Amino acid sequence: MKQLALLLFTSIALGHTSYAQEQDSVEQFQLKEFVFSANKFNEKKDNIAQKITLITNKEISWQMPQTSATMLEQSGNVFVQRSQMGGGSPNLRGFEASRVLLIVDGVRMNNAIYRGGHLQNVITIDNNLLDRVEVLYGPSSTLYGSDALGGVMLFKTRNPKLNDKDGVAISGNVMTRYSSANTEGTGHIDFSIGTRKFAALTSVTYSDFGDLRQGDNRNPFYGDFGLRKTYAEAQNGTDRVVVNSDPNVQKFTGYKQIDLMEKMIYKPKSNLTHALNIQYSTSSNIPRYDRLSEERNGALRYAQWYYGPQERLLLGYQFDGESLTGFFDEVKGGVNYQAIKESRHNRSLNAVKLNHRTEQLNVVGYNLDFRKKMRKNEVTIGTDGQFNNVSSTAYAENIMTGAHTPLDTRYPDGGSKMYYGAVYAQHLYKVIPDKLVTNAGIRLNYVNLRSNFKDTSFFAFPFTTAIQEHLAWSGNLGIIYMPTQKWRFVLNGATGFRSPNVDDLGKVFESAGGISLVVPNPNLKPEYTYNVDLTGVYRNEQLQLEVTGFYTWLRNAIVQDFYTLNGKDSLVYEGQTTAIVANQNKAKAYIYGVSAALTIKLVPHTSLYSTINYTRGRYFGVNNAEVPLDHIPPVFGKTSIIYEQKKFRGEFYALYNGWKRIAEYSPSGEDNQKYATVNGMPAWCTLNLRTGYQVHKNMSVQMALENILDQNYRVFASGISAPGRNFVLTVRANF
């Protein structure tokens, strides 16, 4: 309650604001009015063949999400996996982690150590500063290069405000939020200072999350599933297993995070913009909850397992030119630098050795894009590239004496370098404007990777250097047919590719449960996808229905499977005989699915929105037998009833997942079968209520009651149970 009182006091003291966060779903019938940047330059949605979901700043604020992972999940169109509370791994069409491309303000977040399992990097994006998020479904390699197999998520932060008058204009926003399920306390402030030609935006967000309480209304068939009955705690220098006084509280899930941003723009002319973007995100140590709750031989396995502070620094310069008089009408160009630090720390129960593994990356990127409009034609050409320098270190610390001893590194200890560069061209042709439009494009990508293994004393690898060099082509072709203003049909084909990165090629990693050890495989090749989409849309003044079906062929698919090292299929690792596995190119795989979204204006001020997503995937294993592909989510979706009038807005909604039966789990281990019930992951549904009221033209209050029935559930492939009943209070102000 002290946190709640402090948050309320801070909000009232700092300012005044308008609620200003209205849901856009009621107005989304007029699709032609929406402009997207999915084609690098702004374009009407009706002219884009690829399926896109837009999440606006207003919708993000209305959701009151704790992190950007929560924001994506609450859209009902993106599946999110979690291994700990400080995380969230988005999944698009059965592709996850390094097979989904994240881009913030035009800068690739994916780097050389984005792994194929589950990632939490998306939480380093501050959702309080987002202007919009565009989710592109399906292969997007023509415009965005490697990794865009399942799709792309484009995160665009807000720009500072220029003043359209002489003098200096100052504006800002303040937000505070409290959530009961994890005693969250979040505070945010941003302010913009602008003149006619120059403006700067400064932002600070701080969050403090306590241990997460799971729901108490349990499935009677799995009554104890997910209970945190005991936990390890150091007492007088000795590890003790302590009985949890409230087993619904998931001990060691809390963490802290701070996000900073400084963005400056200079506009010497109305059609020219220079932008400097500085972003920094860091956290406290983040406990790896799934590992801390893991047991071996009936006892807790770990006394400590945590990620060190996840640090992301971005420096970017971007130039935008519009309505130019030369050959090209529009130009975008930029250079960027990222410094990233990640670390992993673990110690077995009653052991004195605390393992420390740290990765540091320096990433330099560039882009240059041009667009020319010629009557019915729009031609975009460009080039982009990125250079990664990876350093991996490790040591074991004796917690009793403080002595350090050598330890095997997660990635090659001699360092790794990875470069990719590409050229592309995209053509949009309005055969019959507003009736028949085509999209076509092609891209040539070059990738070079080199990893050096200096110390082979831990593992006798039969190589000391791994080198890869690849050329990859990709393309797309889409046809959009709009016979009337009410109907829209799209047939879209696209290819995608992903070149193996340092994580694929050179990682040494113990899989969940200690049942296998992943070792390097320098013989990996790029994986390719070939995808076909068919979309139909019907809309009128009262209703909009959109249905999309897709089928994706995945070739040279990289999956983990049993492997031999120096003729052996197992080795002793940390005192345990462990099977050897490695990333390998399986011959082929396929994924298909369907998604549907319905919006209806029921009565004045009231609308209904519902979405559902189904995906199925298989790869062909030994003897060409079909095996469930990893990362394939169960059926999931969202249904909402929304009421809006003047200063008040309310939403009653349900989030839901279908069953994921154990027979549908991939044998690779990436689906985390160990953290599921013996039958898989049960279906679940939560009922939730959100309200918002504008108490003053400069101030608003939002309240929510999530998981009203206190349902106990766990999302597929997750190693942590979801929040139980959660009361959320948010106060916003602006000036």
Side-chain angles (χ1 to χ4, degrees), residues 180-182 210-216 218 226-231 244-254 289 712 720-721:
S180 65
N182 54 5
D211 289 334
L212 180 65
R213 178 191 172 277
Q214 60 187 302
D216 192 46
R218 317 185 76 81
L227 284 177
R228 179 74 148 140
K229 296 180 180 180
T230 60
Y231 59 91
N244 192 357
S245 59
D246 185 351
N248 280 328
V249 175
Q250 300 174 97
K251 292 288 291 186
F252 305 121
T253 50
Y289 180 78
N712 182 278
I720 183 173
S721 296

Side-chain angles (χ1 to χ4, degrees), residues 102-250:
L102 307 181
I103 295 178
V104 57
D105 289 336
V107 178
R108 289 174 59 101
M109 290 185 63
N110 292 46
N111 55 54
I113 64 170
Y114 261 41
R115 56 189 179 271
H118 311 289
L119 287 173
Q120 70 268 18
N121 301 65
V122 73
I123 72 168
T124 66
I125 302 173
D126 184 3
N127 64 80
N128 295 286
L129 255 293
L130 289 175
D131 179 66
R132 60 200 285 132
V133 180
E134 297 176 23
V135 182
L136 286 62
Y137 299 88
S140 309
S141 291
T142 304
L143 287 175
Y144 294 103
S146 181
D147 301 354
L149 299 184
V152 179
M153 297 182 183
L154 302 171
F155 300 88
K156 187 179 185 305
T157 61
R158 295 206 312 266
N159 283 326
K161 296 179 180 179
L162 293 166
N163 191 9
D164 57 1
K165 302 176 182 178
D166 292 333
V168 178
I170 301 176
S171 61
N173 299 276
V174 177
M175 183 277 292
T176 59
R177 181 177 59 240
Y178 169 81
S179 300
S180 65
N182 54 5
T183 60
E184 175 209 11
T186 291
H188 165 83
I189 183 169
D190 68 78
F191 58 90
S192 176
I193 301 175
T195 64
R196 282 187 180 272
K197 294 185 177 182
F198 176 83
L201 174 67
T202 303
S203 169
V204 180
T205 301
Y206 175 77
S207 293
D208 185 345
F209 303 103
D211 289 334
L212 180 65
R213 178 191 172 277
Q214 60 187 302
D216 192 46
N217 184 10
R218 317 185 76 81
N219 186 318
F221 296 100
Y222 312 100
D224 289 345
F225 177 67
L227 284 177
R228 179 74 148 140
K229 296 180 180 180
T230 60
Y231 59 91
E233 186 175 78
Q235 297 179 0
N236 300 320
T238 303
D239 292 332
R240 304 292 185 188
V241 176
V242 179
V243 175
N244 192 357
S245 59
D246 185 351
N248 280 328
V249 175
Q250 300 174 97

Side-chain angles (χ1 to χ4, degrees), residues 578-725:
T578 309
I580 297 174
V581 301
N583 287 324
Q584 300 169 59
N585 293 104
K586 292 299 179 181
K588 56 184 178 179
Y590 66 85
I591 304 174
Y592 64 84
V594 63
S595 63
L598 173 68
T599 305
I600 304 175
K601 293 182 180 179
L602 300 174
V603 293
H605 312 296
T606 305
S607 64
L608 179 145
Y609 173 75
S610 186
T611 181
I612 192 166
N613 303 268
Y614 168 79
T615 311
R616 178 181 170 86
R618 291 289 189 272
Y619 77 85
F620 295 90
V622 179
N623 298 324
N624 213 34
E626 288 195 13
V627 181
L629 194 62
D630 50 11
H631 302 293
I632 303 299
V635 172
F636 71 97
K638 175 183 180 180
T639 298
S640 297
I641 296 178
I642 305 157
Y643 176 81
E644 281 185 272
Q645 189 172 26
K646 295 182 179 179
K647 298 181 179 182
F648 176 81
R649 181 166 190 262
E651 179 183 10
F652 180 73
Y653 66 99
L655 292 171
Y656 38 82
N657 274 202
W659 258 96
K660 181 74 174 186
R661 301 289 179 180
I662 206 71
E664 292 296 310
Y665 275 62
S666 170
S668 72
E670 291 293 354
D671 288 345
N672 290 332
Q673 180 177 334
K674 183 178 180 66
Y675 304 123
T677 73
V678 294
N679 297 318
M681 201 64 77
W684 56 266
C685 176
T686 64
L687 302 180
N688 313 270
L689 178 66
R690 276 198 289 253
T691 62
Y693 186 74
Q694 186 174 329
V695 297
H696 183 270
K697 67 178 182 178
N698 299 111
M699 187 173 185
S700 67
V701 176
Q702 295 171 262
M703 289 184 290
L705 189 60
E706 300 173 342
N707 194 359
I708 295 171
L709 301 181
D710 204 24
Q711 183 77 31
N712 182 278
Y713 68 99
R714 183 171 289 189
V715 175
F716 160 67
S718 294
I720 183 173
S721 296
R725 185 181 295 116

Side-chain angles (χ1 to χ4, degrees), residues 226-414:
L227 284 177
R228 179 74 148 140
K229 296 180 180 180
T230 60
Y231 59 91
E233 186 175 78
Q235 297 179 0
N236 300 320
T238 303
D239 292 332
R240 304 292 185 188
V241 176
V242 179
V243 175
N244 192 357
S245 59
D246 185 351
N248 280 328
V249 175
Q250 300 174 97
K251 292 288 291 186
F252 305 121
T253 50
Y255 71 101
K256 300 176 177 64
Q257 181 168 326
I258 186 167
D259 297 288
L260 309 174
M261 189 178 87
E262 182 71 34
K263 184 183 280 190
M264 292 171 279
I265 62 172
Y266 173 59
K267 206 173 181 71
K269 297 182 179 180
S270 61
N271 64 334
L272 301 178
T273 304
H274 301 268
L276 180 63
N277 193 346
I278 305 171
Q279 299 178 20
Y280 179 71
S281 177
T282 189
S283 68
S284 64
N285 293 334
I286 299 179
R288 178 72 185 266
Y289 180 78
D290 58 349
R291 295 301 182 91
L292 291 173
S293 62
E294 188 176 302
E295 294 185 354
R296 173 180 282 181
N297 300 324
L300 289 176
R301 183 180 178 190
Y302 290 104
Q304 293 175 275
W305 213 122
Y306 60 92
Y307 291 107
Q310 184 169 334
E311 300 180 12
R312 178 179 69 90
L313 171 67
L314 182 152
L315 305 174
Y317 163 77
Q318 184 75 25
F319 168 78
D320 290 339
E322 302 175 338
S323 303
L324 302 177
T325 56
F327 179 77
F328 292 103
D329 303 311
E330 298 176 72
V331 175
K332 289 179 181 288
V335 293
N336 55 80
Y337 167 77
Q338 297 178 78
I340 300 161
K341 182 178 180 180
E342 300 178 359
S343 61
R344 295 164 176 79
H345 313 263
N346 64 77
R347 181 174 64 85
S348 298
L349 188 70
N350 296 320
V352 298
K353 185 178 70 171
L354 176 59
N355 299 323
H356 303 275
R357 292 181 173 89
T358 301
E359 278 68 58
Q360 291 185 302
L361 291 89
N362 293 288
V363 185
V364 178
Y366 66 89
N367 71 280
L368 188 60
D369 306 291
F370 305 88
R371 180 160 77 167
K372 177 66 175 179
K373 295 182 179 181
M374 300 172 289
R375 298 181 181 178
K376 297 181 179 181
N377 298 274
E378 295 180 11
V379 177
T380 303
I381 62 173
T383 179
D384 53 49
Q386 188 185 71
F387 174 77
N388 287 249
N389 188 4
V390 182
S391 172
S392 189
T393 58
Y395 67 93
E397 174 190 2
N398 187 311
I399 62 172
M400 304 299 292
T401 66
H404 291 186
T405 56
L407 184 68
D408 54 293
T409 56
R410 180 176 173 89
Y411 300 114
D413 58 344

